[in-house]
Amino acid sequence: MKKPATEKKDILLGPGVNIYRTPLNGRNFEYMGEDPYLTSKMVVPYIKGVQSNGVATSVKHFALNNQEMFRHTSNVNVDDRALYEIYLPPFKAAVTEGDSWTIMGAYDIQKVSMPARISIF
C-alpha cells in the first residue's frame, strides 16, 4: 500500500485478526479468518508491506471482539487454553514478528478484566 503524497494518512485501521467465533459477528468480513495459525502467518507480511511505506498498521480488535450488539458491556468467557492457543497468536505474531506500530483495543470485557491487561507473551 503506497501512501499518496496528497493524503496525509499515517495509519491504516487494520488488519483485523480476530478469530471468527460466531458467524453473526457483523465485522467478520474485516477479519483474516478462523484459523489462528494461518492468520498469524498472513498478518506478518501484510504489516511489513504496509509499514514499509511509512503507514502504521493498527491490528484489531484486541482481543475477543466477537459481537456488535452489547459490545460495550459483553463479558467474554473463554478459558486460558483457548485464549492463548486460538485467540491471541495472531496478535502475538503481529507484535513480535510483524512489528506492528499500534494495536486497537476492543470494548468487550474478558473474565471481568479489561482485555488490555491480558499479556500476550
Side-chain angles (χ1 to χ4, degrees):
M1 163 179 245
K2 291 193 175 183
K3 181 176 167 181
T6 57
E7 292 185 37
K8 295 185 168 81
K9 306 296 184 207
D10 297 319
I11 190 165
L12 173 69
L13 300 179
V17 297
N18 273 324
I19 301 300
Y20 294 1
R21 190 173 183 181
T22 171
L24 303 176
N25 182 2
R27 293 192 177 245
N28 280 346
F29 70 92
E30 293 182 34
Y31 300 141
M32 290 190 164
E34 55 192 37
D35 182 311
Y37 178 81
L38 182 58
T39 301
S40 297
K41 293 300 179 188
M42 291 188 331
V43 74
V44 173
Y46 183 100
I47 291 168
K48 288 182 177 185
V50 171
Q51 292 184 166
S52 70
N53 290 290
V55 177
T57 57
S58 183
V59 181
K60 60 183 187 176
H61 295 93
F62 186 77
L64 302 168
N65 185 58
N66 298 116
Q67 68 181 37
E68 288 302 300
M69 293 184 66
F70 311 111
R71 67 181 175 158
H72 294 276
T73 58
S74 66
N75 184 10
V76 180
N77 291 303
V78 61
D79 66 23
D80 286 346
R81 182 174 179 183
L83 181 67
Y84 286 95
E85 291 182 8
I86 299 172
Y87 298 102
L88 294 182
F91 291 100
K92 183 175 183 178
V95 172
T96 61
E97 297 173 47
D99 195 29
S100 181
W101 296 347
T102 70
I103 301 288
M104 183 186 300
Y107 289 109
D108 58 337
I109 300 168
Q110 194 270 332
K111 292 186 182 177
V112 193
S113 64
M114 295 309 293
R117 295 184 185 154
I118 297 171
S119 171
I120 61 174
F121 302 104

mmCIF file of all heavy atoms in Angstrom, residues 30-68:
data_model
loop_
_atom_site.group_PDB
_atom_site.id
_atom_site.type_symbol
_atom_site.label_atom_id
_atom_site.label_comp_id
_atom_site.label_asym_id
_atom_site.label_seq_id
_atom_site.Cartn_x
_atom_site.Cartn_y
_atom_site.Cartn_z
ATOM 1 N N GLU A 30 -14.092 -8.197 7.900
ATOM 2 C CA GLU A 30 -12.819 -7.485 8.065
ATOM 3 C C GLU A 30 -11.688 -8.402 8.514
ATOM 4 O O GLU A 30 -10.527 -8.045 8.381
ATOM 5 C CB GLU A 30 -12.953 -6.399 9.139
ATOM 6 C CG GLU A 30 -13.840 -5.259 8.804
ATOM 7 C CD GLU A 30 -13.845 -4.220 9.921
ATOM 8 O OE1 GLU A 30 -12.797 -4.027 10.565
ATOM 9 O OE2 GLU A 30 -14.894 -3.621 10.148
ATOM 10 N N TYR A 31 -12.018 -9.538 9.089
ATOM 11 C CA TYR A 31 -11.008 -10.370 9.738
ATOM 12 C C TYR A 31 -10.379 -11.372 8.782
ATOM 13 O O TYR A 31 -10.962 -11.749 7.784
ATOM 14 C CB TYR A 31 -11.603 -11.085 10.950
ATOM 15 C CG TYR A 31 -12.122 -10.126 11.995
ATOM 16 C CD1 TYR A 31 -13.294 -10.379 12.683
ATOM 17 C CD2 TYR A 31 -11.441 -8.958 12.285
ATOM 18 C CE1 TYR A 31 -13.769 -9.505 13.635
ATOM 19 C CE2 TYR A 31 -11.909 -8.066 13.232
ATOM 20 C CZ TYR A 31 -13.067 -8.351 13.911
ATOM 21 O OH TYR A 31 -13.536 -7.483 14.854
ATOM 22 N N MET A 32 -9.192 -11.813 9.119
ATOM 23 C CA MET A 32 -8.433 -12.706 8.245
ATOM 24 C C MET A 32 -8.900 -14.156 8.298
ATOM 25 O O MET A 32 -8.469 -14.942 7.477
ATOM 26 C CB MET A 32 -6.951 -12.614 8.566
ATOM 27 C CG MET A 32 -6.353 -11.294 8.167
ATOM 28 S SD MET A 32 -4.569 -11.342 8.308
ATOM 29 C CE MET A 32 -4.137 -9.911 7.347
ATOM 30 N N GLY A 33 -9.710 -14.548 9.247
ATOM 31 C CA GLY A 33 -10.221 -15.908 9.214
ATOM 32 C C GLY A 33 -10.459 -16.564 10.538
ATOM 33 O O GLY A 33 -10.562 -15.919 11.573
ATOM 34 N N GLU A 34 -10.536 -17.892 10.475
ATOM 35 C CA GLU A 34 -10.874 -18.666 11.663
ATOM 36 C C GLU A 34 -9.763 -19.622 12.081
ATOM 37 O O GLU A 34 -9.927 -20.390 13.004
ATOM 38 C CB GLU A 34 -12.164 -19.440 11.420
ATOM 39 C CG GLU A 34 -12.134 -20.311 10.200
ATOM 40 C CD GLU A 34 -13.491 -20.849 9.810
ATOM 41 O OE1 GLU A 34 -14.491 -20.129 9.940
ATOM 42 O OE2 GLU A 34 -13.531 -22.003 9.388
ATOM 43 N N ASP A 35 -8.639 -19.564 11.416
ATOM 44 C CA ASP A 35 -7.510 -20.426 11.740
ATOM 45 C C ASP A 35 -6.396 -19.570 12.339
ATOM 46 O O ASP A 35 -5.820 -18.726 11.649
ATOM 47 C CB ASP A 35 -7.025 -21.114 10.467
ATOM 48 C CG ASP A 35 -5.876 -22.073 10.716
ATOM 49 O OD1 ASP A 35 -4.901 -21.675 11.387
ATOM 50 O OD2 ASP A 35 -5.946 -23.214 10.240
ATOM 51 N N PRO A 36 -6.078 -19.776 13.614
ATOM 52 C CA PRO A 36 -5.068 -18.918 14.257
ATOM 53 C C PRO A 36 -3.684 -19.049 13.636
ATOM 54 O O PRO A 36 -2.946 -18.068 13.549
ATOM 55 C CB PRO A 36 -5.055 -19.376 15.707
ATOM 56 C CG PRO A 36 -5.750 -20.682 15.738
ATOM 57 C CD PRO A 36 -6.638 -20.756 14.553
ATOM 58 N N TYR A 37 -3.313 -20.248 13.183
ATOM 59 C CA TYR A 37 -2.000 -20.431 12.555
ATOM 60 C C TYR A 37 -1.928 -19.666 11.233
ATOM 61 O O TYR A 37 -0.992 -18.913 10.990
ATOM 62 C CB TYR A 37 -1.711 -21.921 12.340
ATOM 63 C CG TYR A 37 -0.391 -22.158 11.653
ATOM 64 C CD1 TYR A 37 0.800 -22.126 12.375
ATOM 65 C CD2 TYR A 37 -0.324 -22.395 10.292
ATOM 66 C CE1 TYR A 37 2.020 -22.323 11.751
ATOM 67 C CE2 TYR A 37 0.889 -22.598 9.652
ATOM 68 C CZ TYR A 37 2.056 -22.557 10.385
ATOM 69 O OH TYR A 37 3.265 -22.746 9.765
ATOM 70 N N LEU A 38 -2.926 -19.867 10.386
ATOM 71 C CA LEU A 38 -2.936 -19.198 9.088
ATOM 72 C C LEU A 38 -3.010 -17.679 9.248
ATOM 73 O O LEU A 38 -2.291 -16.943 8.572
ATOM 74 C CB LEU A 38 -4.112 -19.699 8.247
ATOM 75 C CG LEU A 38 -4.239 -19.126 6.841
ATOM 76 C CD1 LEU A 38 -2.987 -19.407 6.021
ATOM 77 C CD2 LEU A 38 -5.477 -19.698 6.161
ATOM 78 N N THR A 39 -3.849 -17.206 10.147
ATOM 79 C CA THR A 39 -3.958 -15.768 10.393
ATOM 80 C C THR A 39 -2.631 -15.200 10.877
ATOM 81 O O THR A 39 -2.205 -14.137 10.432
ATOM 82 C CB THR A 39 -5.082 -15.472 11.405
ATOM 83 O OG1 THR A 39 -6.309 -15.973 10.885
ATOM 84 C CG2 THR A 39 -5.214 -13.995 11.683
ATOM 85 N N SER A 40 -1.955 -15.934 11.752
ATOM 86 C CA SER A 40 -0.648 -15.488 12.254
ATOM 87 C C SER A 40 0.378 -15.385 11.138
ATOM 88 O O SER A 40 1.229 -14.496 11.148
ATOM 89 C CB SER A 40 -0.133 -16.453 13.327
ATOM 90 O OG SER A 40 -0.991 -16.463 14.441
ATOM 91 N N LYS A 41 0.307 -16.296 10.177
ATOM 92 C CA LYS A 41 1.246 -16.276 9.056
ATOM 93 C C LYS A 41 0.902 -15.188 8.036
ATOM 94 O O LYS A 41 1.791 -14.610 7.412
ATOM 95 C CB LYS A 41 1.286 -17.642 8.357
ATOM 96 C CG LYS A 41 1.879 -18.728 9.216
ATOM 97 C CD LYS A 41 3.315 -18.387 9.595
ATOM 98 C CE LYS A 41 3.929 -19.448 10.472
ATOM 99 N NZ LYS A 41 5.235 -19.047 10.997
ATOM 100 N N MET A 42 -0.385 -14.902 7.849
ATOM 101 C CA MET A 42 -0.799 -13.893 6.859
ATOM 102 C C MET A 42 -0.586 -12.469 7.357
ATOM 103 O O MET A 42 -0.310 -11.568 6.571
ATOM 104 C CB MET A 42 -2.277 -14.079 6.501
ATOM 105 C CG MET A 42 -2.549 -15.326 5.717
ATOM 106 S SD MET A 42 -4.235 -15.508 5.066
ATOM 107 C CE MET A 42 -5.277 -14.636 6.175
ATOM 108 N N VAL A 43 -0.705 -12.251 8.666
ATOM 109 C CA VAL A 43 -0.669 -10.886 9.186
ATOM 110 C C VAL A 43 0.735 -10.275 9.118
ATOM 111 O O VAL A 43 0.880 -9.075 8.919
ATOM 112 C CB VAL A 43 -1.256 -10.817 10.615
ATOM 113 C CG1 VAL A 43 -0.318 -11.397 11.654
ATOM 114 C CG2 VAL A 43 -1.609 -9.381 10.974
ATOM 115 N N VAL A 44 1.753 -11.084 9.263
ATOM 116 C CA VAL A 44 3.126 -10.556 9.315
ATOM 117 C C VAL A 44 3.544 -9.871 8.013
ATOM 118 O O VAL A 44 3.945 -8.696 8.036
ATOM 119 C CB VAL A 44 4.120 -11.660 9.742
ATOM 120 C CG1 VAL A 44 5.556 -11.173 9.623
ATOM 121 C CG2 VAL A 44 3.820 -12.114 11.166
ATOM 122 N N PRO A 45 3.455 -10.510 6.846
ATOM 123 C CA PRO A 45 3.844 -9.799 5.615
ATOM 124 C C PRO A 45 2.917 -8.634 5.282
ATOM 125 O O PRO A 45 3.353 -7.640 4.692
ATOM 126 C CB PRO A 45 3.790 -10.876 4.529
ATOM 127 C CG PRO A 45 3.007 -11.996 5.093
ATOM 128 C CD PRO A 45 3.134 -11.907 6.574
ATOM 129 N N TYR A 46 1.662 -8.745 5.682
ATOM 130 C CA TYR A 46 0.721 -7.633 5.468
ATOM 131 C C TYR A 46 1.211 -6.391 6.212
ATOM 132 O O TYR A 46 1.316 -5.306 5.639
ATOM 133 C CB TYR A 46 -0.665 -8.052 5.960
ATOM 134 C CG TYR A 46 -1.749 -7.030 5.744
ATOM 135 C CD1 TYR A 46 -2.633 -7.149 4.684
ATOM 136 C CD2 TYR A 46 -1.914 -5.944 6.609
ATOM 137 C CE1 TYR A 46 -3.649 -6.228 4.473
ATOM 138 C CE2 TYR A 46 -2.907 -5.017 6.412
ATOM 139 C CZ TYR A 46 -3.780 -5.158 5.349
ATOM 140 O OH TYR A 46 -4.773 -4.230 5.148
ATOM 141 N N ILE A 47 1.541 -6.563 7.480
ATOM 142 C CA ILE A 47 2.022 -5.443 8.305
ATOM 143 C C ILE A 47 3.326 -4.883 7.753
ATOM 144 O O ILE A 47 3.487 -3.670 7.605
ATOM 145 C CB ILE A 47 2.205 -5.888 9.771
ATOM 146 C CG1 ILE A 47 0.844 -6.168 10.412
ATOM 147 C CG2 ILE A 47 2.984 -4.849 10.569
ATOM 148 C CD1 ILE A 47 0.935 -6.880 11.743
ATOM 149 N N LYS A 48 4.259 -5.760 7.454
ATOM 150 C CA LYS A 48 5.560 -5.303 6.947
ATOM 151 C C LYS A 48 5.419 -4.547 5.632
ATOM 152 O O LYS A 48 6.095 -3.545 5.406
ATOM 153 C CB LYS A 48 6.510 -6.488 6.796
ATOM 154 C CG LYS A 48 6.980 -7.030 8.126
ATOM 155 C CD LYS A 48 7.961 -8.165 7.962
ATOM 156 C CE LYS A 48 8.463 -8.613 9.323
ATOM 157 N NZ LYS A 48 9.499 -9.633 9.223
ATOM 158 N N GLY A 49 4.526 -5.015 4.767
ATOM 159 C CA GLY A 49 4.312 -4.333 3.494
ATOM 160 C C GLY A 49 3.728 -2.946 3.658
ATOM 161 O O GLY A 49 4.195 -1.980 3.050
ATOM 162 N N VAL A 50 2.719 -2.829 4.495
ATOM 163 C CA VAL A 50 2.081 -1.525 4.722
ATOM 164 C C VAL A 50 3.061 -0.569 5.391
ATOM 165 O O VAL A 50 3.251 0.565 4.951
ATOM 166 C CB VAL A 50 0.802 -1.671 5.574
ATOM 167 C CG1 VAL A 50 0.266 -0.310 5.992
ATOM 168 C CG2 VAL A 50 -0.268 -2.450 4.817
ATOM 169 N N GLN A 51 3.706 -1.019 6.451
ATOM 170 C CA GLN A 51 4.582 -0.138 7.217
ATOM 171 C C GLN A 51 5.867 0.214 6.466
ATOM 172 O O GLN A 51 6.495 1.226 6.776
ATOM 173 C CB GLN A 51 4.872 -0.749 8.590
ATOM 174 C CG GLN A 51 3.626 -0.773 9.454
ATOM 175 C CD GLN A 51 3.842 -1.279 10.873
ATOM 176 O OE1 GLN A 51 2.978 -1.091 11.690
ATOM 177 N NE2 GLN A 51 4.952 -1.902 11.189
ATOM 178 N N SER A 52 6.234 -0.574 5.462
ATOM 179 C CA SER A 52 7.426 -0.233 4.672
ATOM 180 C C SER A 52 7.214 1.040 3.857
ATOM 181 O O SER A 52 8.171 1.635 3.374
ATOM 182 C CB SER A 52 7.797 -1.389 3.736
ATOM 183 O OG SER A 52 6.844 -1.527 2.700
ATOM 184 N N ASN A 53 5.962 1.461 3.743
ATOM 185 C CA ASN A 53 5.628 2.697 3.023
ATOM 186 C C ASN A 53 5.332 3.855 3.968
ATOM 187 O O ASN A 53 4.754 4.863 3.559
ATOM 188 C CB ASN A 53 4.424 2.449 2.107
ATOM 189 C CG ASN A 53 4.800 1.560 0.943
ATOM 190 O OD1 ASN A 53 5.525 1.979 0.056
ATOM 191 N ND2 ASN A 53 4.329 0.336 0.958
ATOM 192 N N GLY A 54 5.691 3.692 5.244
ATOM 193 C CA GLY A 54 5.508 4.768 6.203
ATOM 194 C C GLY A 54 4.105 4.904 6.759
ATOM 195 O O GLY A 54 3.775 5.910 7.376
ATOM 196 N N VAL A 55 3.272 3.904 6.538
ATOM 197 C CA VAL A 55 1.907 3.920 7.067
ATOM 198 C C VAL A 55 1.835 2.899 8.200
ATOM 199 O O VAL A 55 2.179 1.728 8.002
ATOM 200 C CB VAL A 55 0.876 3.565 5.971
ATOM 201 C CG1 VAL A 55 -0.536 3.511 6.545
ATOM 202 C CG2 VAL A 55 0.959 4.563 4.834
ATOM 203 N N ALA A 56 1.420 3.323 9.369
ATOM 204 C CA ALA A 56 1.299 2.416 10.512
ATOM 205 C C ALA A 56 0.091 1.512 10.348
ATOM 206 O O ALA A 56 -0.911 1.894 9.756
ATOM 207 C CB ALA A 56 1.164 3.222 11.802
ATOM 208 N N THR A 57 0.195 0.302 10.887
ATOM 209 C CA THR A 57 -0.974 -0.572 10.955
ATOM 210 C C THR A 57 -1.503 -0.534 12.376
ATOM 211 O O THR A 57 -0.761 -0.313 13.325
ATOM 212 C CB THR A 57 -0.620 -2.029 10.595
ATOM 213 O OG1 THR A 57 0.401 -2.496 11.462
ATOM 214 C CG2 THR A 57 -0.189 -2.145 9.149
ATOM 215 N N SER A 58 -2.790 -0.751 12.510
ATOM 216 C CA SER A 58 -3.428 -0.844 13.818
ATOM 217 C C SER A 58 -4.172 -2.167 13.864
ATOM 218 O O SER A 58 -5.327 -2.270 13.445
ATOM 219 C CB SER A 58 -4.392 0.323 14.043
ATOM 220 O OG SER A 58 -4.947 0.258 15.337
ATOM 221 N N VAL A 59 -3.490 -3.198 14.326
ATOM 222 C CA VAL A 59 -4.058 -4.543 14.373
ATOM 223 C C VAL A 59 -5.243 -4.533 15.333
ATOM 224 O O VAL A 59 -5.156 -4.007 16.430
ATOM 225 C CB VAL A 59 -2.992 -5.563 14.815
ATOM 226 C CG1 VAL A 59 -3.570 -6.955 14.852
ATOM 227 C CG2 VAL A 59 -1.795 -5.503 13.883
ATOM 228 N N LYS A 60 -6.348 -5.116 14.878
ATOM 229 C CA LYS A 60 -7.563 -5.001 15.680
ATOM 230 C C LYS A 60 -8.332 -6.303 15.750
ATOM 231 O O LYS A 60 -8.112 -7.188 14.956
ATOM 232 C CB LYS A 60 -8.447 -3.893 15.127
ATOM 233 C CG LYS A 60 -8.893 -4.106 13.696
ATOM 234 C CD LYS A 60 -9.689 -2.919 13.225
ATOM 235 C CE LYS A 60 -10.285 -3.202 11.857
ATOM 236 N NZ LYS A 60 -11.126 -2.121 11.408
ATOM 237 N N HIS A 61 -9.211 -6.352 16.644
ATOM 238 C CA HIS A 61 -9.562 -5.615 17.847
ATOM 239 C C HIS A 61 -9.117 -6.457 19.029
ATOM 240 O O HIS A 61 -9.670 -7.523 19.238
ATOM 241 C CB HIS A 61 -11.059 -5.377 17.966
ATOM 242 C CG HIS A 61 -11.648 -4.498 16.924
ATOM 243 N ND1 HIS A 61 -12.201 -4.991 15.758
ATOM 244 C CD2 HIS A 61 -11.774 -3.153 16.870
ATOM 245 C CE1 HIS A 61 -12.673 -3.983 15.046
ATOM 246 N NE2 HIS A 61 -12.413 -2.859 15.696
ATOM 247 N N PHE A 62 -8.144 -6.023 19.756
ATOM 248 C CA PHE A 62 -7.550 -6.778 20.860
ATOM 249 C C PHE A 62 -8.443 -6.714 22.071
ATOM 250 O O PHE A 62 -8.653 -5.657 22.620
ATOM 251 C CB PHE A 62 -6.175 -6.220 21.200
ATOM 252 C CG PHE A 62 -5.437 -7.029 22.217
ATOM 253 C CD1 PHE A 62 -4.834 -8.217 21.858
ATOM 254 C CD2 PHE A 62 -5.369 -6.612 23.524
ATOM 255 C CE1 PHE A 62 -4.151 -8.953 22.790
ATOM 256 C CE2 PHE A 62 -4.698 -7.347 24.481
ATOM 257 C CZ PHE A 62 -4.080 -8.527 24.100
ATOM 258 N N ALA A 63 -8.927 -7.770 22.489
ATOM 259 C CA ALA A 63 -8.990 -9.140 21.952
ATOM 260 C C ALA A 63 -10.407 -9.644 22.194
ATOM 261 O O ALA A 63 -11.129 -9.089 23.020
ATOM 262 C CB ALA A 63 -7.996 -10.047 22.662
ATOM 263 N N LEU A 64 -10.775 -10.707 21.501
ATOM 264 C CA LEU A 64 -12.075 -11.365 21.672
ATOM 265 C C LEU A 64 -13.259 -10.490 21.292
ATOM 266 O O LEU A 64 -14.322 -10.559 21.896
ATOM 267 C CB LEU A 64 -12.245 -11.879 23.111
ATOM 268 C CG LEU A 64 -11.177 -12.851 23.592
ATOM 269 C CD1 LEU A 64 -11.273 -13.051 25.090
ATOM 270 C CD2 LEU A 64 -11.274 -14.174 22.863
ATOM 271 N N ASN A 65 -13.104 -9.677 20.287
ATOM 272 C CA ASN A 65 -14.204 -8.824 19.823
ATOM 273 C C ASN A 65 -15.076 -9.644 18.866
ATOM 274 O O ASN A 65 -14.817 -9.704 17.681
ATOM 275 C CB ASN A 65 -13.644 -7.598 19.099
ATOM 276 C CG ASN A 65 -14.716 -6.619 18.712
ATOM 277 O OD1 ASN A 65 -15.446 -6.132 19.558
ATOM 278 N ND2 ASN A 65 -14.827 -6.331 17.429
ATOM 279 N N ASN A 66 -16.090 -10.289 19.398
ATOM 280 C CA ASN A 66 -16.851 -11.250 18.612
ATOM 281 C C ASN A 66 -18.310 -10.899 18.377
ATOM 282 O O ASN A 66 -19.047 -11.716 17.841
ATOM 283 C CB ASN A 66 -16.783 -12.628 19.271
ATOM 284 C CG ASN A 66 -15.374 -13.138 19.341
ATOM 285 O OD1 ASN A 66 -14.836 -13.318 20.407
ATOM 286 N ND2 ASN A 66 -14.743 -13.339 18.200
ATOM 287 N N GLN A 67 -18.750 -9.745 18.803
ATOM 288 C CA GLN A 67 -20.138 -9.377 18.549
ATOM 289 C C GLN A 67 -20.274 -7.860 18.537
ATOM 290 O O GLN A 67 -19.493 -7.153 19.145
ATOM 291 C CB GLN A 67 -21.072 -9.981 19.590
ATOM 292 C CG GLN A 67 -20.904 -9.408 20.990
ATOM 293 C CD GLN A 67 -21.830 -10.053 21.995
ATOM 294 O OE1 GLN A 67 -22.081 -11.238 21.927
ATOM 295 N NE2 GLN A 67 -22.332 -9.280 22.916
ATOM 296 N N GLU A 68 -21.258 -7.390 17.805
ATOM 297 C CA GLU A 68 -21.515 -5.959 17.713
ATOM 298 C C GLU A 68 -22.541 -5.505 18.756
ATOM 299 O O GLU A 68 -22.402 -4.446 19.332
ATOM 300 C CB GLU A 68 -22.007 -5.605 16.311
ATOM 301 C CG GLU A 68 -20.912 -5.677 15.254
ATOM 302 C CD GLU A 68 -19.741 -4.763 15.562
ATOM 303 O OE1 GLU A 68 -19.934 -3.540 15.658
ATOM 304 O OE2 GLU A 68 -18.625 -5.269 15.713
#
